[in-house]
């Protein structure tokens, strides 16, 4: 079953076409553009380029898989609304995967791994994985807080957030994976795709509330 | 006619997720999901709150519009979307969705200007727009006077607000008077029983010197402050605030300036059609005053019904069918959401390589 994969939870604007079968998955095409400010411009042309490159037509798709974050909001929404619109237009199911889970599943070192992506505002989105499986819930915190809480129990770290704050985290950082890989995103949804699970509403993992404060009393204009 | 193009339009420039479907100049569907209730307690639209709501509402709103029109995506000839101006984060949700719908269905994409769409929507109610026309667009985010020579290609700015938008002034004065957000409808209602000449509030940028430099520009910040000073002085004196009279006098000041400058624009350009659009065009006093004043000079006023004045997808679709019919080339999949899209750019044409 041919699947469109998108993830826009990091500066890596990620798209892929993956053939998912009972016997395993085969990645047919991948387009990754690293640009934290161009998710909206880059994603659709990259998907179109994959169609051109492979000769795949949209109507050949059987499902859409989207990384649901956590990630910076504006970019994250580009991938999710793209996936949702593709699913709606083609009448095919959409499945969500926690973007950190894709990094955790692709991490190949031994022992527990800290997965961290850049949350901006000097914070990271993070979770801990053991044998590719998440331990606990994804969270957003300052790197120093994360180091204090789980620094002693993890053997290494992956993800662009780990690279950026390597000195604060004080954990060995593996070069790859740095961003959620297409193959891992597809694999984490493969079971649902193959058993044709009901479509899932793609709910973003924002982990932060909108910045908005209810205004206090109005300031008088008379002195 | 069966050869008229059918366009699905998507609008997310502020707090309304709008999806409309138009065939030629015939409205087939106009579905709006608004997040306005979520913004009320903040006293204004919170961009991140609106963006989150757009993501949730996008696909269900497209589906409702198609059901309303009795169509499927296969029946649609093109997808149009507001590419700007507007809130950057909210625009992006609509633009990304429109690109995905266009790519998945193989339909052309048109990234269009929100202000030109406010002009185009009138064709759904009153037929083709006589050109040239002057358009007065007034909403919570915009207050502009435009000269429209060709709705598909030629829109020129004559003037715009130099501070607050007219709708913003309504919101702020409503808050001052203890009326709910958004402020336009409650002020319009309160003003019905008030005297518009009770308080002489200032008319911004109408002094002789301002008329040289800012003849077709607007300013509502000073008016807003004048209302605040007047109300506070009453409160400090321990006197009751006559809400109806304040609302009516404020509304009179806004409508006086808007209509005077719009008609001056028509007369100075020798143009006989004035189109009024945007959320503030739903104001009953503005509609009445514009019609009455324009009649004195033989100027025809066109104002769409209130449901088409506020932000919606039908206006985007209406501009879309006009662009398709006019042979304007579609946009590429790489177009940005441009929060400051200049009004002259009616649609984002495909980049020439």
């Amino acid at each position: 079953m041919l699947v469109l994969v998108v993830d826009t939870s990091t500066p890596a604007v990620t798209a892929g076409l993956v053939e998912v079968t009972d016997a395993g998955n085969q990645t047919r095409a991948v387009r990754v553009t690293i640009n934290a400010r161009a998710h909206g411009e880059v994603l659709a042309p990259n998907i179109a380029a994959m169609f051109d490159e492979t000769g795949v037509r949209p109507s050949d798709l059987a499902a859409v898989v989207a990384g649901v974050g956590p990630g910076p909001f504006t970019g994250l929404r580009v991938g999710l609304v793209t996936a949702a619109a593709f699913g709606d237009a083609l009448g095919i199911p959409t499945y969500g995967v926690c973007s950190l889970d894709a990094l955790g599943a692709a991490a190949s070192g031994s022992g527990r791994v800290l997965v961290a992506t850049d949350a901006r505002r000097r914070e990271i989105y993070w979770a801990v994985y053991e044998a590719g499986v998440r331990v606990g819930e994804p969270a957003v915190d300052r790197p120093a807080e994360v180091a204090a809480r789980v620094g002693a129990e993890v053997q290494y770290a992956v993800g662009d957030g780990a690279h950026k704050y390597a000195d604060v985290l004080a954990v060995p950082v593996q070069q790859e994976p740095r961003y959620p890989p297409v193959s891992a995103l597809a694999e984490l949804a493969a079971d649902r795709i193959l058993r044709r699970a009901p479509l899932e509403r793609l709910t973003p993992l924002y982990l932060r509330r909108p910045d908005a404060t209810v205004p206090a009393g109005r300031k008088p204009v008379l002195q | 006619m069966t050869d008229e193009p059918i366009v699905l339009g998507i609008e997310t420039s502020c707090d309304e997720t709008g999806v409309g479907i138009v065939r030629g100049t015939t409205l087939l569907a106009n579905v709006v999901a608004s997040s306005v209730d979520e913004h009320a307690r903040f006293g204004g639209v919170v961009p991140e709150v609106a963006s989150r709501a757009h993501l949730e509402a996008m696909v269900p709103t497209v589906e409702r519009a198609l059901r309303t029109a009795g169509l499927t995506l296969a029946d649609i000839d093109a997808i149009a979307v507001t590419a700007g101006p507007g809130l950057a984060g909210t625009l992006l949700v609509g633009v990304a969705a429109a690109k995905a719908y266009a790519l998945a269905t193989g339909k052309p994409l048109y990234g269009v200007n929100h202000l030109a769409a406010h002009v185009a929507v009138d064709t759904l109610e009153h037929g083709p727009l006589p050109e040239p026309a002057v358009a007065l667009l007034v909403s919570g985010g915009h207050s502009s006077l435009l000269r429209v020579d060709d709705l598909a290609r030629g829109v020129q700015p004559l003037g715009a607000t130099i501070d607050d938008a007219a709708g913003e002034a309504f919101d702020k004065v409503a808050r001052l008077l203890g009326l709910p957000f958004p402020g336009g409808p409650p002020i319009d209602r309160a003003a019905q029983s008030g005297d518009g000449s009770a308080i002489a509030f200032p008319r911004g940028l109408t002094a002789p010197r301002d008329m040289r430099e800012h003849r077709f520009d607007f300013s509502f910040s000073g008016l807003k402050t004048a209302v605040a000073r007047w109300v506070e002085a009453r409160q400090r004196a321990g006197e009751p605030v006559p809400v109806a009279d304040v609302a009516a006098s404020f509304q009179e000041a806004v409508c006086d300036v808007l209509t005077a400058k719009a008609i001056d624009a028509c007369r100075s350009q020798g143009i006989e059609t004035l189109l009024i659009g945007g959320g503030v065009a739903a104001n009953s006093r503005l509609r009445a005053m514009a019609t009455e004043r324009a009649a004195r000079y033989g100027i025809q006023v066109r104002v769409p019904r209130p449901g088409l004045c506020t932000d919606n997808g039908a206006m985007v679709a209406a501009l879309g069918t006009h662009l398709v019919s006019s042979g304007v080339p579609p946009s590429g999949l790489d177009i940005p959401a441009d929060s400051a899209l200049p009004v002259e750019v009616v649609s984002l044409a495909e980049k020439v390589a």
Side-chain angles (χ1 to χ4, degrees):
Chain A
M1 299 173 81
L2 193 62
V3 175
L4 171 66
V5 178
V6 297
D7 187 292
T8 56
S9 66
T10 71
V13 186
T14 300
L17 290 173
V18 180
E19 188 73 46
V20 175
T21 70
D22 288 317
N25 305 339
Q26 188 203 347
T27 299
R28 300 270 302 271
V30 171
R31 281 284 192 290
V32 177
T33 302
I34 313 286
N35 187 337
R37 305 188 60 85
H39 294 78
E41 283 94 323
V42 164
L43 182 62
N46 280 2
I47 296 171
M50 293 194 306
F51 288 150
D52 289 345
E53 172 195 323
T54 57
V56 165
R57 290 163 305 174
S59 57
D60 297 331
L61 297 173
V64 185
V65 173
V68 295
F73 313 150
T74 304
L76 179 61
R77 277 189 285 267
V78 169
L80 294 185
V81 82
T82 299
F86 257 93
D88 183 42
L90 300 170
I92 57 177
T94 53
Y95 302 111
V97 172
C98 168
S99 301
L100 299 177
D101 288 0
L103 282 158
S108 57
S110 58
R112 285 195 166 198
V113 57
L114 168 67
V115 170
T117 57
D118 187 7
R120 300 183 187 159
R121 305 182 188 183
R122 298 181 188 171
E123 291 188 326
I124 50 174
Y125 297 114
W126 67 280
V128 171
Y129 292 79
E130 184 159 2
V133 177
R134 174 153 39 81
V135 182
E137 292 301 307
V140 58
D141 290 292
R142 289 178 179 276
E145 291 164 6
V146 176
R149 278 169 62 184
V150 299
E153 64 176 83
V154 299
Q155 276 69 57
Y156 68 106
V158 298
D160 70 325
H163 283 271
K164 186 169 177 179
Y165 297 105
D167 50 342
V168 184
L169 292 170
V171 175
V173 177
Q174 254 181 24
Q175 202 59 32
E176 295 293 336
R178 196 169 179 128
Y179 302 110
V182 162
S183 55
L185 289 159
E187 179 55 33
L188 288 168
D191 179 52
R192 285 172 282 169
I193 295 164
L194 290 170
R195 64 183 164 83
R196 296 179 165 80
L199 101 169
E200 295 164 9
R201 211 172 128 144
L202 299 172
T203 305
L205 295 172
Y206 289 121
L207 305 190
R208 285 179 182 140
R209 291 177 183 282
D211 278 335
T213 49
V214 176
R218 209 182 51 81
K219 267 188 273 174
V221 292
L222 292 179
Q223 292 304 304
Chain B
M1 290 217 303
T2 53
D3 56 347
E4 288 181 311
I6 303 178
V7 173
L8 180 141
I10 296 176
E11 153 65 32
T12 63
S13 71
C14 192
D15 61 334
E16 326 275 12
T17 312
V19 178
I21 301 174
V22 168
R23 182 202 298 122
T25 56
T26 305
L27 179 62
L28 302 181
N30 184 24
V31 178
V32 176
S34 178
S35 61
V36 66
D37 294 345
E38 296 176 54
H39 305 287
R41 68 195 178 100
F42 300 110
V45 173
V46 181
E48 177 60 22
V49 172
S51 299
R52 291 183 180 195
H54 284 308
L55 176 61
E56 281 183 37
M58 181 53 62
V59 165
T61 309
V62 169
E63 289 182 339
R64 275 177 60 202
L66 287 167
R67 270 201 306 277
T68 304
L71 300 174
T72 68
L73 281 169
D75 302 314
I76 303 293
D77 295 307
I79 310 283
V81 63
T82 301
L87 301 170
T90 63
L91 285 168
L92 191 54
V93 177
V95 169
K99 288 178 179 181
Y101 277 110
L103 181 53
T105 57
K107 313 287 185 187
L109 171 76
Y110 287 83
V112 308
N113 190 301
H114 179 78
L115 298 176
H118 268 305
V119 178
V121 75
D122 184 66
T123 62
L124 300 180
E125 197 159 347
H126 301 117
L129 182 72
E131 292 165 342
V134 165
L136 170 67
L137 299 184
V138 272
S139 70
H142 310 279
S143 300
S144 298
L145 270 172
L146 314 173
R147 180 188 163 105
V148 182
D149 287 293
D150 175 354
L151 184 50
R153 297 176 184 85
V155 176
Q156 294 300 323
L158 297 173
T161 183
I162 61 168
D163 42 56
D164 291 353
E168 223 177 323
F170 272 90
D171 293 339
K172 287 171 178 170
V173 168
R175 187 155 171 243
L176 188 71
L177 296 175
L179 300 171
F181 171 88
I187 284 187
D188 198 346
R189 270 193 302 277
Q192 304 286 338
S193 56
D195 175 4
S197 60
I199 309 152
F201 287 130
R203 270 64 169 162
L205 298 184
T206 56
R209 194 177 64 108
D210 291 329
M211 287 301 281
R212 281 196 296 276
E213 285 177 32
H214 292 288
R215 183 169 174 184
F216 301 127
D217 291 329
F218 303 106
S219 167
F220 298 107
S221 177
L223 169 61
K224 171 194 71 190
T225 306
V227 176
R229 295 176 74 93
W230 195 92
V231 168
E232 281 175 29
R234 277 296 180 104
Q235 288 166 335
R236 286 198 186 177
E239 295 170 29
V241 175
V243 171
D245 282 349
V246 174
S249 299
F250 158 76
Q251 180 174 277
E252 197 71 10
V254 174
C255 296
D256 183 17
V257 177
L258 290 174
T259 55
K261 293 207 175 207
I263 286 164
D264 183 25
C266 289
R267 296 185 68 207
S268 72
Q269 310 265 319
I271 290 174
E272 290 170 352
T273 302
L274 171 62
L275 183 142
I276 308 180
V280 179
N283 182 273
S284 64
R285 182 63 184 139
L286 179 63
R287 297 166 86 99
M289 193 189 281
T291 306
E292 181 199 318
R293 288 184 171 181
R296 287 182 218 157
Y297 303 103
I299 295 166
Q300 185 74 33
V301 174
R302 292 166 57 126
V303 196
R305 62 178 180 269
L308 294 178
C309 286
T310 47
D311 292 349
N312 63 79
M315 65 191 224
V316 180
L319 181 53
T321 61
H322 186 71
L323 294 169
V324 172
S325 300
S326 305
V328 171
S331 308
L333 290 172
D334 60 347
I335 57 167
D338 185 348
S339 60
L341 187 68
V343 66
E344 297 93 321
V345 183
V346 174
S347 70
L348 300 176
E350 194 144 18
K351 249 188 245 166
V352 181

